[in-house]
């Protein structure tokens, strides 16, 4: 028998339904995808709202047995409700029945754990739905802001993400509305049809059975070898579509673990490095060694590499004009739209993300003790003073600790910037300290150093950090002239690159008049996470249709090396961040350590490498799954040795004596 509930319930249901109805009505624009209105999802949202109202306002009187049957049926459907929400928020479902079943079992395992804890069918179903909703919603939002969905290492970097999140502008999309209404509907349904089973030892049985199911699932999944999984770990959005959000997340967790390479022997690696260290090098007088400046410019890239991009004006005219005493080229990097620290790790250590577990973040996972083979530690042994400059919070990516372990003598961050510069002299572009100010912190170190002291200055900038939705008025100064879409974020980004180009010109002008030999390298960390439609128009196809080789255009970043003294100029040199310090030291005629000597040998066979694969010496793309390079086998063994070795050479020992 069906009847209306008491008037407070009907009033509450009406207010809730009207709020949802009004919200959908005034936000119809969110149901437009690629310029097409999705009428099905739009009207489905209204129908779901009516369902929410009916479940709250209407009272259904049925027999006790039928009520219990409905309750058990809804409880059993919980994993399927969760899966439906995941499918809405993950995009097009392209997986087989087997993959669908595995994802369902993940939600069953979550239910089992919650049942063992709460010993309540009602709260098990509600909490499981909320967990699934929040997980998939988080992944969807991260994909909007960064261009890639949630991955395991995001949880390690949650502190860094929180620091920059306020500078992103979130845009509501219709899958969020539909998924939210479904979750509200399901939770209302669970609350309406729920009962407390009454039988002997109920709590004990629920706890034991829930724990047993969860344990059985965990043991089963831990026994599966995911090494040769067909999941596309490089396109996480596509991976979620083909393997489901939970299953793909779990595979990423398993693949993040650092494991011993096949056939690994520590003595073989030590012999390999010993041979590299014994290579003959030209003896260089300390007085002849230059000051070294390395600038990793946040999100610095030339988006022309993706496709034909025409703009109202050149966004990096100075760098393009540089020819004398200049080496220019292209880096193949591993991250896109974030994870600056991985490119930074490669440059400072000479190690590569290309032989580390996919999805790993070395700064947060593997660097936990003094690392004596880093670039600053090596230069320290040669008598250099090493200073890191990053005009943002020092705790981001654990830099305060990492820089100490890497051998830096000093770290200038936003936390202590006022010790080095008057507050009134700090210039901001949008929300962040400008490149001009960042470079001024570097040149001030040169001005104030001791006579005859050699300096290594490593500057990680912040000016160009995402998001690109600032509405202060001065942007954009560069507009796109040849694309059909209007891409405000891309235009703001290109305008920022123009500012970086100007600041770099000022730095070079300063160094031309500086009376000590100084060499500077500037490179980007990754391309920016601007509108996905922008990239798709540049490519001329959907990102989901790209091959792994085509995808590499989103991972190519410019670099430039310049000196205020004579060096041999080169153009269009292709390399990777892990080789860049080797190239820099060669160009500066500074002695190298065993790691740089070793990577120099690897570079001959594998000139460019990232987490997805590499280009061979003939310029052919080789996917990581297809790699058979002996050089990379050695590289992987060396890298494993470097990150797991038990003994520590103290890079700071007798430091003052050496200087």
């Amino acid at each position: 028998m069906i009847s209306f509930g008491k008037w407070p319930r009907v009033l509450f249901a009406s207010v809730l339904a009207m709020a949802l109805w009004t919200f959908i009505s005034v936000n119809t624009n969110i149901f437009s995808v690629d310029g097409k209105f999705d009428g099905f999802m739009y009207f489905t949202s209204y129908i779901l709202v009516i369902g929410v109202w009916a479940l709250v306002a209407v009272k259904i009187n049925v027999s006790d047995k039928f009520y219990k049957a409905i309750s058990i049926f809804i409880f059993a459907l919980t994993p399927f409700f969760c899966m439906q929400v995941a499918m809405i928020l993950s995009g097009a479902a392209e997986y087989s029945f087997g993959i669908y079943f595995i994802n369902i079992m993940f939600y069953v395992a979550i239910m089992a754990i919650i049942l063992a804890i709460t010993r309540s069918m009602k709260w098990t179903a509600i909490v499981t739905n909320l967990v699934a909703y929040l997980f998939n919603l988080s992944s969807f939002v991260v994909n909007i802001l960064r261009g890639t969905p949630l991955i395991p290492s995001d949880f390690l970097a949650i502190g860094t993400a929180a620091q920059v999140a306020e500078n992103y502008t979130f845009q509501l999309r219709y899958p969020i509305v539909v998924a939210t209404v479904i979750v509200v509907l399901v939770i209302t349904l669970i609350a309406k049809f729920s009962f407390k089973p009454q039988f002997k030892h109920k709590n004990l049985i629920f706890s034991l059975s829930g724990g047993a199911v969860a344990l059985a699932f965990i043991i089963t999944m831990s026994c599966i070898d995911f090494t040769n999984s067909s999941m596309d770990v490089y396109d996480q959005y596509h991976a979620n579509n083909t393997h489901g959000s939970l299953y793909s997340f779990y595979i990423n967790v398993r693949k993040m673990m650092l494991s011993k390479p096949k056939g690994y022997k520590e003595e073989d690696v030590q012999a390999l490095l010993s041979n590299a260290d014994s290579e003959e090098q030209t003896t260089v007088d300390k007085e002849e060694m230059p000051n070294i400046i390395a600038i990793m410019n946040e999100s610095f890239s030339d988006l022309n590499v993706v496709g034909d991009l025409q703009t109202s004006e050149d966004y990096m005219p100075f760098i393009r004009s540089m020819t004398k005493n200049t080496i220019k080229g292209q880096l193949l990097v591993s991250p896109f739209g974030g994870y600056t620290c991985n490119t930074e790790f490669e440059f400072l250590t000479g190690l590569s993300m290309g032989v580390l577990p996919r999805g790993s973040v070395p700064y947060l996972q593997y660097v936990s003790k003094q690392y004596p083979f880093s670039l600053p530690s090596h230069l320290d042994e040669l008598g250099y003073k090493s200073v890191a400059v990053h005009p943002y919070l020092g705790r981001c990516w654990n830099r305060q600790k990492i820089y100490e372990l890497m051998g830096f003598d000093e770290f200038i961050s936003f936390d202590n910037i006022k010790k080095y510069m008057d507050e009134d002299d700090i210039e901001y572009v949008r929300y962040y300290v400008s490149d001009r100010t960042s470079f001024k912190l570097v040149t001030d170190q040169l001005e104030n150093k001791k006579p005859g002291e050699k300096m290594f200055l490593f500057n990680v900038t912040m000016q160009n950090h995402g998001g690109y939705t600032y509405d202060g008025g001065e942007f954009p100064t560069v507009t796109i002239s040849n694309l059909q879409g209007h891409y405000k974020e891309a235009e703001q980004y290109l305008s920022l690159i123009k500012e970086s180009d100007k600041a770099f010109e000022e730095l070079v002008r300063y160094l031309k008049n500086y009376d000590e030999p100084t060499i500077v390298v500037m490179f980007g960390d990754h391309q920016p996470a601007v509108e996905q439609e922008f990239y798709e128009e540049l490519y001329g196809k959907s990102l989901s249709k790209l091959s792994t080789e085509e995808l590499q255009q989103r991972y190519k970043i410019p670099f430039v090396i310049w000196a205020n003294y004579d060096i041999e100029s080169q153009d269009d040199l292709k390399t990777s961040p892990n080789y860049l310090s080797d190239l820099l030291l060669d160009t500066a005629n500074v002695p190298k350590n065993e790691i740089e000597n070793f990577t120099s040998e690897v570079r001959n066979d594998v000139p460019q490498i990232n987490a997805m694969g590499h280009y061979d010496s003939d310029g052919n793309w080789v996917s990581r799954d297809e790699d058979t390079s002996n050089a990379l086998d050695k590289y992987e063994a060396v890298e494993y040795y470097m990150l797991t070795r038990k003994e520590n050479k103290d890079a700071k020992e007798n430091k003052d004596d050496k200087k």
Side-chain angles (χ1 to χ4, degrees), residues 38 88 105 148 155 204 210 223 247 427 485-486 538 554 633:
D38 193 334
I88 291 170
M105 291 309 298
T148 55
F155 289 93
L204 180 61
C223 293
Y247 186 36
E427 178 189 52
H486 183 41
L538 277 183
R554 298 183 85 191
D633 289 341

Side-chain angles (χ1 to χ4, degrees), residues 145 168 296-306 309 311-317 319-320 333 335-338 340 429-432 435 461-471 474-480 486-502 522-531 534-535 538 553-559:
L145 298 178
Y168 285 85
M296 189 172 72
N297 197 305
E298 171 63 41
S299 299
F300 186 79
S301 66
D302 183 358
L303 298 181
N304 243 321
V305 73
V306 179
L309 178 64
T311 54
S312 58
E313 59 180 302
D314 192 350
Y315 44 87
M316 52 174 70
I319 291 176
R320 294 194 212 280
V333 300
F336 172 85
T340 293
V429 174
R430 303 180 305 149
Y431 326 98
Y432 301 112
D435 282 2
T461 71
M462 274 300 289
Q463 173 187 287
N464 304 330
H465 199 287
Y468 306 103
T469 55
Y470 176 74
D471 58 359
E474 63 267 37
F475 293 102
T477 58
V478 177
T479 56
I480 299 168
H486 183 41
Y487 306 113
K488 293 182 179 180
E489 293 180 23
E491 289 183 338
Q492 184 169 127
Y493 167 77
L494 294 169
S495 302
L496 290 168
I497 295 302
K498 180 71 180 293
E499 293 301 310
S500 292
D501 186 78
K502 290 178 183 177
M522 186 170 80
F523 59 100
D525 51 354
H526 54 71
Q527 288 188 19
V530 295
E531 297 96 339
F534 166 77
Y535 282 107
L538 277 183
Q553 301 307 115
R554 298 183 85 191
Y555 296 87
K556 293 179 179 178
I557 303 296
F559 78 91

Side-chain angles (χ1 to χ4, degrees), residues 78 82 85 107 110 114 123-138 180 183-184 186-187 190:
T78 294
C82 294
V85 169
Y107 290 115
I110 293 171
I114 297 171
W123 286 108
T124 294
I126 289 175
V127 173
T128 302
N129 275 283
L130 287 174
V131 168
Y133 170 69
L134 293 174
F135 175 79
N136 287 287
L137 177 65
S138 299
T180 301
V183 170
V184 171
V186 169
I187 290 177
I190 294 167

Side-chain angles (χ1 to χ4, degrees), residues 216-388:
F217 180 76
I218 291 169
I219 292 174
T220 301
M221 295 304 293
S222 65
C223 293
I224 298 175
D225 181 12
F226 292 95
T227 306
N228 298 315
S229 169
S230 61
M231 189 185 83
D232 185 358
V233 295
Y234 310 119
D235 185 349
Q236 195 57 47
Y237 180 78
H238 185 246
N240 285 358
N241 291 340
T242 58
H243 283 70
S245 56
L246 266 186
Y247 186 36
S248 63
F249 188 87
Y250 177 76
I251 292 174
N252 280 326
V253 169
R254 291 287 299 272
K255 289 193 173 186
M256 279 176 59
M257 300 174 184
L258 190 63
S259 57
K260 187 180 293 186
K262 188 176 181 180
Y264 173 82
K265 292 182 180 179
E266 187 172 304
E267 55 270 25
D268 291 345
V269 176
Q270 291 172 338
L272 191 66
L273 292 175
S274 179
N275 291 335
D277 194 33
S278 63
E279 289 187 10
E280 199 172 306
Q281 296 195 51
T282 305
T283 303
V284 181
D285 189 335
K286 176 185 174 182
E287 298 301 319
E288 297 178 1
M289 292 190 293
N291 296 304
I292 300 174
I293 301 172
I295 301 166
M296 189 172 72
N297 197 305
E298 171 63 41
S299 299
F300 186 79
S301 66
D302 183 358
L303 298 181
N304 243 321
V305 73
V306 179
D308 180 30
L309 178 64
Q310 298 174 24
T311 54
S312 58
E313 59 180 302
D314 192 350
Y315 44 87
M316 52 174 70
F318 174 69
I319 291 176
R320 294 194 212 280
S321 71
M322 297 176 70
T323 55
K324 187 177 181 181
N325 299 324
T326 302
I327 299 173
K328 289 191 289 188
Q330 192 179 82
L331 299 178
L332 183 68
V333 300
S334 292
F336 172 85
Y339 286 89
T340 293
C341 59
N342 284 353
T343 301
E344 183 177 333
F345 166 81
E346 290 185 306
F347 173 73
L348 290 177
T349 64
L351 305 182
S352 172
M353 298 301 300
V355 293
L356 282 178
R358 294 156 177 167
S360 57
V361 185
Y363 270 19
L364 304 180
Q365 294 174 261
Y366 309 135
V367 183
S368 59
K369 56 189 178 185
Q370 201 77 31
Y371 189 78
F373 299 95
S374 68
L375 182 58
S377 289
H378 171 60
L379 292 175
D380 174 74
E381 292 185 347
L382 297 176
Y384 279 77
K385 178 182 178 182
S386 296
V387 178

